Every structure is written in C-alpha cells, then in structure tokens.
Amino acid sequence: MVVANRKMHGSIPANQLFLRELLAQTRDFKNADYVVCVPHPYLYQVQAMLSGSHIAWGDQHMSRFTLGAHTGSVSASMLLEFGCQYTIIGHSERRAWGYETDITSAQRYETAIRAGLKPIYCVGDTRDEYMAGETHKVTYKQLSAIVEHVGVEGLAKGVLAYEPVWAIGTGQAATPEHVQSILGYLRSQIAALDAKLGAEIRILYGGSVNAKNVLQLFCMPDVDGALVGAASLNKEQFIAICKAANEATDDRCALLVADD
C-alpha cells in the first residue's frame, strides 16, 4: 500500500498534472493499493479526477466531533461526501503543531471508523526518544491509546504507520533493518491481543521514503507499504515508489537479497 501525504502543498493546475500522470503511469499496477491524501480544498478536484479509477483518496486531518460549533473543523461526514475512504490521524506534525494527543487521536480514530472511514494511524519516536532507546515504549503507548479506546475490533478497521519523527523530511530514512525491527515489534504486540489481526493488519513505514530506498523497505517481512511525504510532491519519484510496490513480489525480493 502506497499513500501520498501531500501535506500543505498543491494548486489546482499542479494537482491536475500530478494526478493525470499518476493515473496514466500506474494503470497497469495491480499488485498494490494506492492512495492520495490532499488538503481539504482539493478534495472536490481529486474526487472528480480519481472517481472510478484504481486510486483511492483521503484527507490529512478530521474533527473528532460529528458536527457542531467547531469553527474551522471538518467532519467525517463531510469527507465521505467527497468520496474519501481514508483519513490520516495522529501524524507527528499534528501532534507537534496541532496539539494532537494520544487521547484526541483515539477519539478521531473512533469517529472515523464509526463513519466508515479507514484511519491511517501514525506512531513514531522523536530523536531524543530514539537515542534514549525508548522507541518501543513510545510506539507501544501510542498504539495502546487506540486499543484502549476502540478495542481490537476497532484497531482492525484501520492501518498503522510507523513514522520516526527524526526521519520525516530530513532525508535520513531509517534503515530497512531498523524499520523491520520496529514494525515486527508492533505486529507482535498486536498478535498478543489477536493472532489473526497481528498477521493481517497493514503496517506502513514513513520518513524520507524515496525511489532509491523503497524496494529494500518493501522487501522487509513486516512492511506492508509506505506513507510518502516529500517524495509524493515529485510525480516521477512517487510513480517510481508505486512501481516498486507493484514489483515487490516474493521472487523479486528473493533476488534482491541474493544480490546483497
């Protein structure tokens, strides 16, 4: 699964160029799922261009409330009117600058699944937490907030994404081995609650993913895809990542290991 998080970027002409090229270049890619998450003003354009295609779309942030006097907020029902299937929740940038917490993220998660949206829930550690060896502790706490709020049944209705804060937008991606160790840990914690869900839940990696490092990441056994930030602003880079997802078959990954 490849998700473009285009953050606060875009314009109507630039979006049109990106989406047209993405549709044309990925139309034969059948081995993965593709999602584009855009700022709210562009949801109408994305819906118009992607409806009926192989590419889904979503937003980057939604209210935990269903309606009411919440100036500037966007509800889940509004997103559904624009055909959204996904919503990103708990991204580190929202936690840092939008006063998002584990509790409010869990509330948004519940609102999303009740409405029929599939949340992409982000967990991740800061550089200080990473250097202190607290990655497991931090990500487990963030994951537990969702489980405590909606249970295993609710967790099963979403997608997880591990995004180390120290790798986002820095050009310094975590090594495939580090990513595998953290995603393997998260999967093991979920499996301890529900073995079937532990095996089936999608867990993505995000943080300076690019066309050069992505195939090695996709070939890690517990990596189910990528949440792509900066590289999703470059259509050639993002299409190359989509191509890598389509080609990350067991045979291709076996060849990659043999070459190493």
Side-chain angles (χ1 to χ4, degrees):
M1 181 179 187
V2 181
V3 181
N5 175 17
R6 288 172 60 83
K7 305 191 180 184
M8 199 175 72
H9 294 283
S11 66
I12 290 174
N15 298 343
Q16 185 177 49
L17 182 63
F18 172 79
L19 293 172
R20 278 182 176 173
E21 193 71 14
L22 183 63
L23 283 166
Q25 295 296 324
T26 64
R27 63 174 176 265
D28 296 325
F29 295 175
K30 309 296 185 184
N31 296 327
D33 294 324
Y34 310 99
V35 183
V36 176
C37 292
V38 298
H40 296 139
Y42 299 132
L43 287 174
Y44 181 82
Q45 181 186 24
V46 171
Q47 181 183 35
M49 293 190 67
L50 297 183
S51 289
S53 77
H54 61 288
I55 301 173
W57 61 95
D59 87 308
Q60 302 167 10
H61 180 66
M62 53 155 270
S63 176
R64 55 192 157 136
F65 303 108
T66 55
L67 78 168
H70 306 290
T71 302
S73 298
V74 173
S75 71
S77 62
M78 294 174 185
L79 299 178
L80 290 170
E81 287 193 300
F82 287 94
C84 289
Q85 295 181 42
Y86 294 89
T87 179
I88 298 173
I89 291 177
H91 192 281
S92 63
E93 290 160 0
R94 295 300 314 173
R95 292 176 186 264
W97 304 320
Y99 304 102
E100 189 75 78
T101 67
D102 290 343
I103 293 172
T104 60
S105 292
Q107 291 170 338
R108 291 182 211 282
Y109 192 105
E110 180 180 24
T111 301
I113 63 174
R114 284 185 180 276
L117 288 167
K118 185 176 282 289
I120 301 169
Y121 178 63
C122 300
V123 301
D125 49 332
T126 65
R127 174 163 292 282
D128 287 346
E129 290 164 343
Y130 170 64
M131 296 302 292
E134 295 181 343
T135 300
H136 284 186
K137 175 184 176 182
V138 170
T139 54
Y140 179 76
K141 177 177 176 289
Q142 293 166 339
L143 173 63
S144 295
I146 299 298
V147 176
E148 290 169 5
H149 200 74
V150 299
V152 172
E153 299 80 5
L155 182 64
K157 296 178 181 179
V159 176
L160 291 183
Y162 168 60
E163 286 206 315
V165 179
W166 48 269
I168 298 173
T170 65
Q172 181 186 354
T175 66
E177 293 76 18
H178 175 74
V179 173
Q180 169 56 31
S181 70
I182 302 306
L183 269 62
Y185 167 75
L186 292 171
R187 195 177 297 280
S188 71
Q189 297 306 305
I190 297 168
L193 301 172
D194 185 297
K196 186 173 184 289
L197 178 59
E200 294 180 353
I201 192 169
R202 276 178 154 171
I203 310 180
L204 314 181
Y205 169 71
S208 295
V209 176
N210 58 58
K212 293 182 179 179
N213 64 19
V214 72
L215 185 58
Q216 284 188 312
L217 288 166
F218 286 161
C219 286
M220 294 292 106
D222 286 306
V223 177
D224 297 316
L227 179 57
V228 185
S232 73
L233 304 179
N234 180 303
K235 62 181 184 297
E236 289 81 12
Q237 275 271 328
F238 188 68
I239 290 167
I241 292 170
C242 292
K243 184 173 186 287
N246 186 63
E247 295 179 350
T249 61
D250 290 343
D251 289 345
R252 178 69 186 276
C253 290
L255 288 173
L256 183 67
V257 172
D259 289 342
D260 288 344

